[in-house]
Amino acid sequence: MPFVNVKLVDGVFTSEEKHAMAKDLTDVMVKYEGSEAFREVVWVLIEELHTDGWHIGGRPFAGPRSLMESLGNSKKVFEMIDGNPSSRDEFAAALPVKK
């Protein structure tokens, strides 16, 4: 029995959008399972969590403003990295933890 668990910020999607999302996720699982027979056993759980429970980059989530701030911070980090690291150790050497 495939089980898909989606966690969303509370109130972002309408009931209709969540139902459509569950249907589309079920379609994807059926495609990869390889048989229509799996459709009836695909479980999709969509959980909506209150915004107080969400944090990005260690800061409380504040909707689109938080997302834009995180993207800006990611861009700054990308620009600070020297070279082209491809492993955790290389990333740690290129941009060590602040003390």
Side-chain angles (χ1 to χ4, degrees):
M1 163 182 82
F3 177 78
V4 180
N5 185 215
V6 179
K7 296 181 187 292
L8 302 170
V9 174
D10 186 27
V12 173
F13 294 96
T14 66
S15 289
E16 292 78 17
E17 290 169 329
K18 290 182 283 185
H19 295 318
M21 186 185 305
K23 181 193 175 304
D24 290 347
L25 289 168
T26 299
D27 291 345
V28 168
M29 293 303 297
V30 168
K31 174 184 174 185
Y32 283 94
E33 289 287 351
S35 171
E36 247 336 284
F38 288 102
R39 183 169 302 280
E40 296 306 316
V41 296
V42 175
W43 291 36
V44 177
L45 173 62
I46 298 176
E47 296 180 276
E48 291 186 290
L49 304 174
H50 192 276
T51 55
D52 286 350
W54 290 86
H55 296 78
I56 298 176
R59 295 174 303 278
F61 177 76
R65 185 170 41 92
S66 289
L67 297 174
M68 293 307 295
E69 180 181 351
S70 290
L71 289 171
N73 290 339
S74 294
K75 182 177 185 281
K76 289 176 196 169
V77 169
F78 174 79
E79 291 169 348
M80 287 189 288
I81 293 173
D82 185 29
N84 191 18
S86 60
S87 70
R88 188 189 59 77
D89 291 336
E90 290 173 357
F91 271 101
L95 194 64
V97 175
K98 293 179 187 176
K99 297 199 183 214

